Amino acid sequence: MKVSLIENDFKNVESELEIFIVDDIENSSDKDILESIGFEEKDESIALLPEIGRIYVGCEDENYESIAIAISTAIRKFKTTKFETAKIELKDMNLKALVEGALLGEYEFTQYKSEKKKSKKQELLICVPKITPEIKKSFEESKIISKAVNKTRDIVNTTPADCYPKIMAQTAKKIAKDNDLECEVFGEKYLAENGMNAMLSVGRASVHESKLIHLSYKPENAKKKVVLVGKGLTYDSGGLSLKPADYMVTMKSDKSGASAVLGIMSAVSKLNLPIEIHGIIGAVENMIGGDAYKPDDVLVARNGKTIEVRNTDAEGRLVLADCLCYAQDEIEDIDYIFDFATLTGACVVGVGEYTIGIMGNNTVLKREVVANTLEAGEYATTLPFNRFLRKTIKSEIADICNVANTRYGGAITAGLFLDNFINEENKDKWVHFDIAGPAYVEKAWGYNPHGASGAGVRATLQFLKTIE
Ligand code: BES
Ligand code: ZN
Ligand code: ZN
């Protein structure tokens, strides 16, 4: 759907439908109509009155989330009609919420439906009497951000038959070409030659070659350097520590961290961010077979640390370990290094399926990340490291074990595992985003449809925008 900003008074703009977001019936000029149809100012309450060409949609609050949910509810209704244009008045409403709510809410993933819906030419007109430069900028930014989120959703929703490491690399190359970024792709030969045996082992039983992907955006005026690392398990069967049938379903979403990095990289040059940004992805498929890596194996990572494998389903941390080492070997003077991963079921159990778990060593930075995530319209909370949980991943045989010796605190012990692959000079610059919950939810929530949500994209772009 097209969303346009129109410089004109609402009443002068021609349109077949009018959308009204109602947060207070008492003070609404349409009080009588609304009361007569029993309308309530609640999330997802909606009334379409085609005779008078109006959609009323309830709104519980004036914040980003309520407005985004309201407009997405209205847009979904608009899409069921034959009308081609709908208008809404900006008033003092949050424009960001309106644009992002509309574009994220109208997203549908229909690639695997045999009957394609005819895409209608529909347009939402946001009417504002005077378009100031700030309004114009905010509008354009929100469109770029929404496009990046929807791109991420598309990649995550693609099945493992259609999206395997080589395809991820091709997607990265296409993003690089369209956005003037550099893109390097390394195969298993590179991994073997550079001691990246942790990552290499995870992909060994797959028919698809593992790929290490490195995208970079280097604007001339760059003041800071940011590295984004993504877990790209195009499928996670669990490996020989095979997942139970019910838990394997949705594991196409184990590439959500990598997909978020791709989405973010597709937006950075369009947003003209004055920052050097690197996107590094470990694209791997975790399968079973005679050649599979095994519980009891000891793997040597790129930084020389040895890892005792006790569970082949804790594979994401092995891939990320080598990718984090690669990033720190190849990129000097990093200001921020963030990783994104659907790393643990424990994070979902701990904080629920809508919230990102934020971990790291720098309390101030973690707080900033959480604040920016909330500001961007996503949910996040910090999960604290401590010395006792750190001890639970010690190994009797190797330097470290890929699973903890305790049943508790699994999200944190996974974060602590990654910390072993962060160099001393980068300890305070690193933040780990466990997006296992919100990356893929099997029911629609707010303006997010069933499936991939694009978790981490808006959060990170918001953080990047604030870097000075
Ligand atoms: N990809 C999973 C984590 C996951 C679970 C993501 C649910 C999204 C939804 C990860 O590789 C995994 O299997 N982790 C194990 C770790 C355990 C073996 C220590 C888990 O969480 O059970
Ligand atoms: Zn796993
Ligand atoms: Zn996984």
Side-chain angles (χ1 to χ4, degrees), residues 207-365:
V207 296
H208 300 295
E209 188 185 6
S210 299
K211 302 282 181 193
L212 172 66
I213 304 163
H214 183 169
L215 283 162
S216 30
Y217 164 66
K218 297 175 178 167
E220 270 171 19
N221 56 344
K223 293 188 209 88
K224 289 272 159 75
K225 215 184 273 185
V226 179
V227 180
L228 310 171
V229 179
K231 169 177 172 182
L233 263 290
T234 58
Y235 201 69
D236 180 12
S237 70
L240 291 180
S241 314
L242 197 63
K243 283 185 185 294
D246 285 351
Y247 288 74
M248 209 184 291
V249 182
T250 74
M251 278 303 131
K252 66 172 182 184
S253 70
D254 217 20
K255 57 183 177 315
S256 296
S259 307
V261 171
L262 289 174
I264 296 162
M265 294 308 289
S266 75
V268 291
S269 81
K270 294 191 192 100
L271 290 172
N272 239 324
L273 295 173
I275 313 163
E276 180 173 321
I277 307 171
H278 295 263
I280 291 162
I281 287 167
V284 184
E285 190 185 53
N286 186 20
M287 298 298 284
I288 55 171
D291 194 27
Y293 83 122
K294 307 170 187 72
D296 283 354
D297 277 343
V298 172
L299 314 175
V300 187
R302 181 169 166 132
N303 67 352
K305 286 208 181 177
T306 57
I307 307 165
E308 178 193 356
V309 177
R310 292 183 71 90
N311 190 318
T312 61
D313 196 13
E315 83 301 331
R317 63 196 76 183
L318 301 173
V319 173
L320 284 177
D322 272 339
C323 289
L324 288 166
C325 293
Y326 165 87
Q328 297 168 95
D329 285 350
E330 292 297 317
I331 305 158
E332 279 173 10
D333 301 324
I334 296 169
D335 292 293
Y336 298 100
I337 176 163
F338 293 173
D339 75 75
F340 303 85
T342 44
L343 205 61
T344 64
C347 193
V348 194
V349 172
V351 303
E353 58 193 329
Y354 308 110
T355 302
I356 303 175
I358 300 288
M359 285 157 261
N361 301 300
N362 182 337
T363 309
V364 176
L365 178 58

Side-chain angles (χ1 to χ4, degrees), residues 15 42 68 74 97-98 135 147 156 203 294 323 349 356 373 382 388 398:
S15 168
K42 285 212 177 105
L98 217 49
I135 290 182
K147 214 171 161 195
V156 174
K294 307 170 187 72
C323 289
V349 172
I356 303 175
T373 305
T382 55
F388 303 104

